[in-house]
Structures are given as structure tokens and as C-alpha cells.
Amino acid sequence: MKIVQAVKEVAEPFKLISGENQTLDNPLVLVFGNRYALEDKSLYNEVKELFPGGHIVFGSTAGEIIGDSVQQGSVSLTAIEFERCSFTVKRGNVSDIDDDLVLGETILSEFPKEGLKYIFLISEGSSVNGSALIGGFEDARLNHIGISGGLCGDDDRFEKTLASYNESPKEGEIIAIGFYGESLEITSANYGGWTPFGPERTITKSENNILYELDGQPALDLYKKYLGDKAQELPTSALLFPLSVRVNENSEPVVRTILTIDETANTMTLAGDVPKDARVQLMMATVDDIVDAASVAAQYAMDNRKNEPELAILISCVGRKLVMDQRTEEEVEEVISVIGSGAAVTGFYSYGEMAPFVGQDACKLHNQTMTLTLFSE
């Protein structure tokens, strides 16, 4: 595996930070950046000039992870040439199909199935129902094909997110990268570290990822009551107090972040499904909780690996970044201390993370987790 990494600051060209002497022919080029930077129409051509034969995938972020640092307002680039394995990239758009589950099924159907080992998703994050999208890839799980990835971000603005494959970034894009090859080893894991508090309540009215009522009361009104003065900062302040959602007594709770609120309808739209009759609680975390959780996620991803990772894609939630503030890089450093310094590290802060729970096969949408995917040939 050959890897080249570079960073582009505002109004500056890309600056190589590793792999200066590497020549890549047809690499996978992952470009993660601030949404404003990705709106620059010259960016795609700039990347194409650097890697004329590259398969270029863009995703907007709430912060860029490159090496052991977290950037803000920049663009990070990681180009990977697999020496014994192959990949293919497929895409769709939420405007093409208005059912996110069907959209996922349609994208999956376009992949050649023979030898398909893993799918990594980079999805638009402002309007998609991530749970439904993952549901469209259920046949992949049944065929023992691993899945992980994340929803693109837009800092804490929640205005729009951008993604693309071999074109300038645009809204609504779902990018799926399929990996093939017997010698390819890919593992993923996630962990949050957030703690529930306050009374547990029952969802009495919801539709997919739209939450209407808790215990028969308007959910938004009840949530604002708990937030107090911070209710004026919604939806941004919701990142500090996500919801733990437990579908039934036997299921693992998932964390859901609020993406948008509708004052007129008195509803909240979350990043994934919030089924009727599920039990929910508010959650909170400290910086130390989050850093410790990043270490746990890394340990889970390293469990039972046969080879040391050569590439690590880290996707962490924007809510974690808001809590950590000036200490954000600590969770990245903690991951590196566990996986080793031999892996090239890239990734971004997101509006949602995709990975299975430890010991399970089914990919789930998460919020407020550190999710990492480790690659080696």
C-alpha cells in the first residue's frame, strides 16, 4: 500500500506532509474539507492535476483529521494505491430516489459481487436518514461484507453538506467504495463514552427519524425544558445533549443527535430512526470520558487483527469536538497510541458514524462515537 498525504490551507496550494517520493498511478483519493473550501469550483481540478488517474472522493466535514492533528477550515488529502487489492466506487443522490432504504439497495446492486469484501460509505449528512440508508445495504451483511463510514458535516452550522466522486462536490451525494482482494484486512469499531442522565421516557409518536412526542408531550417542548437557557442555541446545543435510544430491553442503545428542529410542527429530526415505543434518555460526557472512549474504540478495532494497520480512517462526531474544544486532538492521539504510529491517519468530524457494535455483524448508525476503520494488505 502506497500512501501520499497533503493539506491545503485557505488560498494556498496543497502541501505534502508524507509520501513525497511516492508515485501513484490509479489511487483512491480521499479529500475531506470544510464545506466553504469544497464549494470552490477550482478544487476538483487542483486535485485532478495532482492525481490525473485518481478516483477522487470528496466529503465535507466539521473538522479534518490528518495524522495526529485536527484541522479547521482546511482540506486534507489522502491518496492510497493498493498493491494487491482493488476497489470500485459507486454513487447515488437523495434527489434521485426519495426513499433512503431503496437508495441504499440501488447503490449496493451496482457493485460486482464476486470478491466484494468491504464497503465504506461517505454520505451527505444534512437530510439523509442514516438508519434507512444502512438498511438498504442489508444484503451486504447477509453475504458477510463489512460496512462502515460516516455522514458528512458542516461544522456546527447544519446548513448543508457536500460530497462527490470524480466531480466537484455537491449536495445530496452518497458515495460507496467497495474493496476487493483476499489479502485485504479491514476491521472497524466504535465507542462513545457518553452517560445517560435524567428520567427515561417513551417515544409515543414518531415517524422514521422525526420525533413528535415523548410520554404524550411535544418532544421539542420537553427537550427545551431540559436545556434551559441553552434552548436558545438549538440545534447546535443539542450536540452537547444527545438522546440514548433503546428499542427494546434486549437491544444495545444507540445515540441519536438532533439535526434540525421545526418550531412550527414542534418536532425534532434526528440523524437516524427513533421508533415509537422506544425508550430514550438524555446523555452527557466529559472530555476525559470521550478520550477514554476513543481508546476503547481503537482497542476493539485492533482485537484479533492479523496485521498491523497501514491506513486508519477516523470518523468522530461533531458533538465530541464541541465538548473537547481545545483538547480535541487528544482523542486522535489516544487512537494512534493504540493502533501504532505505522498507519497513515485520515478522517473527519461528522454528523453520524456507521459501524457495527463490537461482536456484531450489523452496521448501525451512531452519533457521538469515535469510529475507526483500519486497512492493511
Side-chain angles (χ1 to χ4, degrees):
M1 192 181 295
K2 298 179 180 179
I3 299 174
V4 173
Q5 292 190 293
V7 171
K8 176 182 174 65
E9 301 293 347
V10 177
E12 296 288 337
F14 278 99
K15 179 181 179 180
L16 288 177
I17 60 173
S18 69
E20 293 88 347
N21 299 319
Q22 299 276 20
T23 300
L24 310 185
D25 294 324
N26 299 290
L28 172 64
V29 185
L30 302 177
V31 184
F32 302 134
N34 181 274
R35 189 254 295 178
Y36 290 150
L38 265 57
E39 287 177 327
D40 184 345
K41 297 301 182 183
S42 67
L43 180 61
Y44 172 69
N45 289 331
E46 187 174 353
V47 177
K48 193 68 175 176
E49 286 180 12
L50 291 173
F51 301 97
H55 297 264
I56 304 168
V57 175
F58 288 93
S60 65
T61 79
E64 303 80 54
I65 299 170
I66 187 81
D68 61 358
S69 67
V70 176
Q71 308 283 332
Q72 190 72 32
S74 67
V75 178
S76 72
L77 181 154
T78 300
I80 311 109
E81 184 171 288
F82 296 92
E83 298 174 275
R84 296 187 298 277
C85 305
S86 62
F87 65 90
T88 188
V89 184
K90 304 297 179 181
R91 56 155 297 279
N93 196 287
V94 295
S95 64
D96 298 333
I97 300 173
D98 61 6
D99 186 319
D100 293 331
L101 187 145
V102 175
L103 178 57
E105 291 175 337
T106 302
I107 295 172
L108 177 63
S109 70
E110 296 178 0
F111 282 99
K113 297 303 184 292
E114 185 174 354
L116 180 58
K117 192 166 188 175
Y118 205 93
I119 295 174
F120 190 82
L121 293 170
I122 297 174
S123 168
E124 86 91 32
S126 54
S127 64
V128 73
N129 180 339
S131 298
L133 178 67
I134 292 171
F137 286 82
E138 176 67 9
D139 281 352
R141 181 184 72 83
L142 296 177
N143 288 287
H144 307 291
I145 299 164
I147 300 174
S148 61
L151 307 183
C152 293
D154 180 28
D155 288 339
D156 60 0
R157 293 183 291 262
F158 291 95
E159 294 172 355
K160 60 181 177 180
T161 63
L162 305 175
S164 69
Y165 168 54
N166 278 353
E167 63 177 328
S168 291
K170 58 185 180 181
E171 292 184 69
E173 287 288 282
I174 314 293
I175 312 299
I177 308 166
F179 295 93
Y180 299 76
E182 287 300 318
S183 64
L184 192 62
E185 183 181 11
I186 307 176
T187 56
S188 66
N190 74 92
Y191 200 74
W194 292 65
T195 303
F197 72 94
E200 193 175 49
R201 298 185 179 275
T202 300
I203 297 177
T204 48
K205 184 179 180 182
S206 66
E207 182 179 350
N208 299 321
N209 61 332
I210 302 175
L211 179 57
Y212 290 86
E213 292 180 359
L214 294 171
D215 289 346
Q217 302 177 55
L220 182 56
D221 286 349
L222 197 58
Y223 191 77
K224 285 181 175 180
K225 179 180 177 181
Y226 277 106
L227 289 189
D229 292 341
K230 287 188 176 294
Q232 299 175 15
E233 302 169 26
L234 282 169
T236 300
S237 58
L239 294 169
L240 303 175
F241 301 99
L243 297 178
S244 170
V245 181
R246 186 188 295 274
V247 176
N248 56 59
E249 293 299 323
N250 298 318
S251 66
E252 290 271 6
V254 293
V255 183
R256 289 286 176 260
T257 290
I258 297 162
L259 294 180
T260 61
I261 62 172
D262 186 330
E263 297 280 5
T264 303
N266 218 5
T267 62
M268 303 186 292
T269 299
L270 292 94
D273 284 344
V274 281
K276 186 175 180 291
D277 296 325
R279 304 284 289 176
V280 303
Q281 261 183 301
L282 285 170
M283 304 189 82
M284 63 185 300
T286 67
V287 173
D288 290 340
D289 292 336
I290 289 173
V291 173
D292 290 345
S295 177
V296 172
Q299 292 167 28
Y300 285 158
M302 289 295 288
D303 282 349
N304 303 314
R305 280 193 67 88
K306 298 175 183 177
N307 302 288
E308 293 297 312
E310 298 173 70
L311 171 69
I313 303 178
L314 277 53
I315 299 182
S316 185
C317 188
V318 60
R320 298 166 68 85
K321 185 168 176 281
L322 291 179
V323 171
M324 290 185 289
D325 197 18
Q326 298 299 316
R327 295 176 61 186
T328 300
E329 290 180 347
E330 289 185 27
E331 73 163 346
V332 177
E333 293 166 353
E334 193 68 27
V335 167
I336 294 172
S337 73
V338 174
I339 68 173
S341 58
V345 176
T346 187
F348 61 94
Y349 281 84
S350 73
Y351 285 174
E353 307 83 57
M354 304 174 185
F357 283 111
V358 64
Q360 299 183 17
D361 294 330
C363 182
K364 300 289 185 182
L365 178 76
H366 308 275
N367 293 119
Q368 308 294 4
T369 69
M370 164 59 80
T371 293
L372 61 160
T373 307
L374 305 178
F375 297 75
S376 60
E377 287 189 284

